[in-house]
Each structure stands twice: as structure tokens, then as C-alpha cells.
Amino acid sequence: GAHMMGQGPGHNHEVLRKNTMVWLPSFLHGGTSSLVSTLTTFPIYKIVFRQQLHSTVVSQAIGQLRKEGFLKLYRGVVPPLLMKTLNGTLLFGIHDTFLHCLSSITNPCGVIPLPALPAVAGLGTGIVEALVFTPFERAQNVLQNGGNDRSLPTLRSVLARLGAERLGSGYYRAFIPILARNTLGSCIYFGLKDPVSAALREKGLPPMASSFLSGMIISSMAINLPLYPLSVLVVNMQAGVVGEAAGVRGSWKALWEGQLKRSVPLLYRGGSLVILRSCISWGITTAIYDQRSAH
């Protein structure tokens, strides 16, 4: 610390300002990378949606979309685009903020080992994400469930109906599985992103490619495959409006023994495309984010 001497009282203030400047761009970079990846993967989202809604085969869905032309292809892109961009902005920005706070608190004490800091910051990020986005997800799942079309035809009617319910069965239904999915997902993603990317760079891959592959590998192997059942549970808990929500255990039991007939392949049916889309979009997001952050 001797070389820090003689830097005057303004030095601490300067360091603080520098630190703030470090993590502010991560909000921007997170938003940009999510925006680009959503635009790129939206056609896959459309195919998945057609497949889930009308049980069409993939080739049939692609044929339909080609017939409808390019402009129709991007119809309905605005809501997911806004949501994903906001999500990316918060995800990376808040993670970086937590990381800086944790580093400044724990560095002198050494409570948390340095390599584990990103994963711990990921846990905090997942909690914030669940608190902010559960209501969005709830409204989206009610809207996408065709069974609600007659009773709740518009977004306004859906929001009014959810607002009239208690928080736990209205906007925050299925909060616990969402919290589990998001905290585990963020913890795994931020904990592994840089080590995997660094390992790939050591194998001689260019930085952009190693970031892309790192995002893809982590999101497919470590996040999507194990956590996909939680997403299925969330959709099934949130799609209905009528009546009191069964608890997490009750909902899972009804889903597993009823609709899924205790079959793992049935649980993952339609999941392959969802997981593929998620891998590509996380690959793109990670590559763009790392590249922007490096500059």
C-alpha cells in the first residue's frame, strides 16, 4: 500500500467513480446482447410456438412460415424483444453490481474464495430476477393458454383479473419453482461462463468462438436439461386462472401422474427445440457480451 501514499484525499472518490463506471456499461452490454440474440432466434421461437400450439411437425411449421413471408415472420416480436432486452439488461447489470459489492466486502476478509464470487453474485441476481419477472411470466402464460381466450380476451382483462387475486395465486403464482430455476440457473451460468471460455481459449479457439461455445455448453448441459422440468411445472401452474393454486408438490404430482403418465420422454417432449433455441441465444448473448465488455 506504500505506493498509494501521497495520492491526496480525492483518490478514494476517484476509485469509487471508476468502479461505478466499470459496472454501468454491463447493463448496456447485457441489453444489447440479449436484443441481438432475441432477433436472431425469434424464427425458432415461432416454430416452437406453432409446434406446441397446433402439434405440427417442425417441417410443416417451417413451410407455413416460409409461405407467410419475412414480414409476417417477425410479427409479434415486440413483447419478447422488450422482455428479453430488459431481462438481459438487469441480469448482467445486477450481476456485475453484486460482483463489485462482494469483491469490495470479501476481498479484505477472504470469506468467499475469489473463483466462487461470480456464482454467489449469480444467486443474488437470480433472486432479483425472480422478483421482477414472475408477474411478466404469469401474464404471458395466461395469455398463451388458448383456454383463457373467451373469458380473458385482452391483456388488460388478464392484468385486471390477476390484480384481483391474492399475490400468491395471482401475479406470483409458481414463485418458488421460478425462484429455484432462476437462482440455480444464474449461479451455474455466471460461475462457469468464464472458466469454460478460458479453457476453450487455451485450446486455441478465438475469443468470440470460445464465448459462444461456453454459453451454449453451459446453457444446454448444466442449465436447460436439468432445469427444464421446472419450466414445464411453471407453465402448468401459471396457465390457469380459475381457483386456488395447488401447492408446488400437489401441482407436480398432478402433472407427473396425470398429463405426463410418469414418463420422462413425455416430460421433455417439445423440449429439444426450446433447449436448442436457448443454447443458440445464450451462445450469442455470451459472445456479444464478452466481446463488448472486453473493449
Side-chain angles (χ1 to χ4, degrees):
H3 69 280
M4 299 291 272
M5 301 292 280
Q7 292 194 323
H11 176 68
N12 277 352
H13 182 70
E14 193 57 35
V15 167
L16 197 71
R17 219 193 56 176
K18 266 215 177 88
N19 273 352
T20 315
M21 294 319 286
V22 168
W23 52 255
L24 274 181
S26 46
F27 283 93
L28 186 72
H29 296 164
T32 318
S33 47
S34 297
L35 183 117
V36 176
S37 80
T38 307
L39 280 173
T40 318
T41 56
F42 189 70
I44 307 177
Y45 171 79
K46 264 287 183 55
I47 294 166
V48 169
F49 191 69
R50 293 277 170 105
Q51 194 196 13
Q52 286 173 338
L53 198 66
H54 309 296
S55 316
T56 46
V57 227
V58 174
S59 56
Q60 207 180 338
I62 293 173
Q64 283 175 1
L65 291 172
R66 280 180 66 175
K67 264 217 304 272
E68 289 168 16
F70 183 76
L71 281 176
K72 265 270 184 76
L73 181 63
Y74 276 89
R75 195 179 125 177
V77 73
V78 176
L81 192 63
L82 290 176
M83 179 132 164
K84 286 270 193 264
T85 305
L86 179 64
N87 195 344
T89 307
L90 281 182
L91 185 74
F92 287 97
I94 287 172
H95 180 263
D96 227 26
T97 310
F98 276 150
L99 195 55
H100 276 83
C101 296
L102 280 171
S103 308
S104 52
I105 295 165
T106 58
N107 256 2
C109 326
V111 183
I112 306 169
L114 264 181
L117 280 181
V120 177
L123 279 175
T125 311
I127 295 170
V128 175
E129 204 188 2
L131 284 166
V132 175
F133 287 104
T134 299
F136 284 92
E137 206 167 327
R138 171 75 161 129
Q140 196 177 341
N141 282 324
V142 171
L143 272 172
Q144 288 192 345
N145 174 11
N148 298 323
D149 285 354
R150 299 195 46 192
S151 54
L152 301 165
T154 60
L155 175 61
R156 182 178 283 180
S157 62
V158 169
L159 297 180
R161 178 64 199 268
L162 292 177
E165 303 272 338
R166 273 204 351 254
L167 269 186
S169 50
Y171 281 114
Y172 279 90
R173 188 183 287 192
F175 179 67
I176 299 298
I178 288 178
L179 185 68
R181 183 194 68 194
N182 290 10
T183 47
L184 285 168
S186 294
C187 177
I188 293 166
Y189 175 74
F190 287 111
L192 295 179
K193 174 171 88 82
D194 293 341
V196 171
S197 186
L200 290 167
R201 275 203 303 279
E202 274 170 27
K203 294 264 183 285
L205 277 174
M208 195 88 168
S210 34
S211 291
F212 178 77
L213 280 170
S214 152
M216 275 192 82
I217 293 164
I218 296 165
S219 77
S220 60
M221 303 298 173
I223 300 175
N224 282 315
L225 282 168
L227 299 183
Y228 185 73
L230 280 173
S231 292
V232 176
L233 175 65
V234 168
V235 169
N236 278 277
M237 283 179 77
Q238 287 194 337
V241 189
V242 194
E244 205 43 33
V248 176
R249 198 175 290 165
S251 301
W252 175 252
K253 194 166 178 255
L255 175 68
W256 181 238
E257 289 173 0
Q259 210 174 314
L260 299 173
K261 306 178 184 67
R262 295 171 174 265
S263 144
V264 173
L266 264 184
L267 170 64
Y268 278 91
R269 190 185 59 188
S272 52
L273 264 181
V274 176
I275 291 170
L276 172 72
R277 177 180 137 243
S278 184
C279 290
I280 296 171
S281 75
W282 275 110
I284 295 170
T285 302
T286 309
I288 295 173
Y289 181 79
D290 286 356
Q291 209 244 339
R292 297 284 314 254
S293 303
H295 289 316

